[in-house]
């Protein structure tokens, strides 16, 4: 049965939550079968599928298309659509219109980077029936302001700010919160203080769940962050397969008999006569 945001919230005190950032139908189907709880169509699609340098140039239409693909695959998993840069910062109406596009594409919820700066937007979405996952710590859409993809909450004052943001997310009615690249103590403190599940990436083990980006997890990203764990080395498997294919084609080993079909002999004879006739006319 399909998970709801309520089911995810109830997991806080029961077991750890699993989430991945994923963008396409086949891998989302495999993840759904594997029992991953949440499929996030992240704006990290920018780097991982489109080869962009950062997430700042992703239009809503890209997330919308990938939400459609992932949602078709999600029989059980909850699907969250990431609100891309400038799809919600510009105001409440823009946030609502863009979130509605993702929900109509099949998202069960949306994710917003930041909390206090977007209080009105978060309230409006929730009031309109759209569940919101918030995101604190390293918020990649603000990497310029943060001075790069740097760890957050190393100093006590910064850590306290992140904790306050998370508490606000809880009080606004966000159903869960991503904590990215903070000191483990910060994530632990938040997990302890708030009622909604914390889902961490690069923020240590004291969280209600973990999230990894699929290309990091499968060993496709050339230089993954240190906090991502490789559970497979797909890039070398893919390269080996492509080399074998290339060599087979060059050496005439592919396609083999089982990969093609032939006409019936009498049909081929007829064809030859037809072609001969055409040439004579
Ligand atoms: O876009 C993304 O993949 C994310 C995750 C890292 C949480 O926001």
């Amino acid at each position: 049965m399909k998970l709801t945001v309520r089911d995810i919230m109830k997991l806080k005190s029961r077991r750890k939550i699993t989430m991945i950032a994923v963008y396409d139908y086949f891998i989302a189907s495999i993840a759904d079968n594997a029992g991953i709880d949440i499929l996030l169509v992240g704006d990290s699609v920018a780097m991982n599928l489109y080869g962009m340098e950062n997430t700042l140039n992703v239009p809503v239409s890209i997330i919308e298309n990938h939400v459609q693909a992932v949602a078709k695959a999600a029989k059980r998993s909850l699907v969250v659509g990431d609100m891309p840069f400038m799809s919600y910062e510009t105001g409440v109406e823009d946030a609502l219109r863009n979130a509605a596009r993702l929900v109509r594409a099949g998202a069960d919820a949306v994710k917003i980077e930041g909390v206090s700066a977007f209080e009105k937007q978060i309230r409006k979405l929730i009031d309109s029936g759209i569940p919101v996952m918030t995101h604190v710590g390293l918020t990649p859409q603000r990497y310029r302001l943060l001075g790069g993809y740097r760890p957050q909450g190393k100093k006590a004052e910064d850590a306290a700010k992140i904790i306050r943001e998370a508490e606000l997310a809880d009080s606004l009615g966000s159903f869960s919160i991503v904590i990215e690249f903070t000191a483990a103590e910060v994530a632990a403190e938040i997990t302890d203080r708030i009622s909604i599940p914390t889902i961490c990436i690069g923020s240590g083990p004291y969280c209600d769940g973990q999230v990894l980006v699929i290309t990091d997890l499968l060993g496709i990203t050339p230089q993954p962050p240190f906090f991502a764990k490789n559970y497979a080395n797909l890039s070398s498997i893919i390269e080996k397969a492509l080399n074998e294919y290339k060599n087979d084609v060059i050496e005439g080993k592919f396609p083999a008999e089982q990969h093609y079909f032939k006409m019936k002999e009498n049909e081929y004879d007829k064809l030859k006569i037809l072609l001969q006739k055409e040439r004579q006319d």
Side-chain angles (χ1 to χ4, degrees), residues 15 22 43 49 52 60 86-87 89 94 111-112 124 132 148 158 169 178 189 191 196 254 256 262 271:
R15 69 151 168 86
V22 64
D43 60 358
L49 279 201
M52 296 177 187
V60 177
M86 287 302 141
S87 68
E89 292 89 334
D94 283 351
K111 178 166 80 60
I112 281 185
K124 182 70 178 176
V132 177
D158 297 336
V178 168
E189 194 67 42
T191 302
I196 57 173
F254 177 82
K262 284 184 157 181
L271 174 68

Side-chain angles (χ1 to χ4, degrees), residues 87-109:
S87 68
Y88 54 97
E89 292 89 334
T90 47
V92 171
E93 295 313 315
D94 283 351
L96 187 57
R97 195 177 49 251
N98 290 321
R101 283 177 66 176
L102 301 189
V103 169
R104 286 190 172 132
D108 300 303

Side-chain angles (χ1 to χ4, degrees), residues 77-267:
S77 316
L78 187 91
V79 176
V80 177
D82 221 355
M83 296 283 283
F85 183 58
M86 287 302 141
S87 68
Y88 54 97
E89 292 89 334
T90 47
V92 171
E93 295 313 315
D94 283 351
L96 187 57
R97 195 177 49 251
N98 290 321
R101 283 177 66 176
L102 301 189
V103 169
R104 286 190 172 132
D108 300 303
V110 298
K111 178 166 80 60
I112 281 185
E113 290 188 11
V115 185
S116 54
F118 310 114
E119 221 181 298
K120 283 190 186 143
Q121 285 89 330
I122 294 168
R123 275 188 208 283
K124 182 70 178 176
L125 297 191
I126 296 171
D127 285 349
S128 308
I130 300 176
V132 177
M133 173 184 274
T134 39
H135 184 153
V136 296
L138 173 62
T139 43
Q141 291 174 14
R142 304 186 138 212
Y143 82 96
R144 288 207 165 97
L145 198 68
L146 299 173
Y149 300 102
R150 299 154 65 92
Q152 303 295 307
K154 282 167 93 178
K155 294 238 167 79
E157 297 76 23
D158 297 336
K161 256 192 215 163
I162 297 170
I163 294 167
R164 280 198 295 272
E165 286 278 290
E167 286 175 332
L168 179 62
D170 187 8
S171 68
L172 288 175
S174 161
F175 80 95
S176 63
I177 186 163
V178 168
I179 307 176
E180 181 163 354
F181 208 9
T182 69
E185 294 85 344
V186 178
E189 194 67 42
I190 294 173
T191 302
D192 209 36
R193 283 167 174 255
I194 68 177
S195 69
I196 57 173
T198 56
I199 302 176
C200 293
I201 176 159
S203 298
Y206 314 113
C207 305
D208 299 308
Q210 294 291 326
V211 50
L212 278 181
V213 172
I214 193 71
T215 47
D216 296 345
L217 188 157
L218 295 179
I220 298 174
T221 314
Q223 283 164 338
F226 82 92
F227 51 72
K229 181 172 169 185
N230 268 182
Y231 286 86
N233 194 347
L234 276 205
S235 63
S236 65
I237 293 174
I238 293 170
E239 194 173 332
K240 184 169 171 282
L242 293 175
N243 266 314
E244 274 177 33
Y245 163 67
K246 181 187 76 183
N247 292 337
D248 274 4
V249 170
I250 290 171
E251 290 165 19
K253 290 184 184 160
F254 177 82
E257 252 176 53
Q258 68 269 30
H259 302 125
Y260 61 91
F261 73 95
K262 284 184 157 181
M263 297 172 84
K264 284 198 174 131
E265 225 169 277
N266 63 331
E267 288 299 325

Side-chain angles (χ1 to χ4, degrees), residues 2-41:
K2 182 98 173 141
L3 291 173
T4 66
V5 293
R6 285 180 159 270
D7 296 325
I8 298 294
M9 292 171 86
K10 279 191 217 147
L11 288 177
K12 182 169 173 89
S13 49
R14 296 189 186 157
R15 69 151 168 86
K16 297 270 186 181
I17 297 162
T18 53
M19 170 161 126
I20 57 166
V22 64
Y23 323 107
D24 72 287
Y25 176 78
F26 283 132
I27 298 189
S29 300
I30 296 168
D32 188 70
N33 281 335
I36 301 295
D37 298 313
I38 306 177
L39 306 180
L40 167 70
V41 180

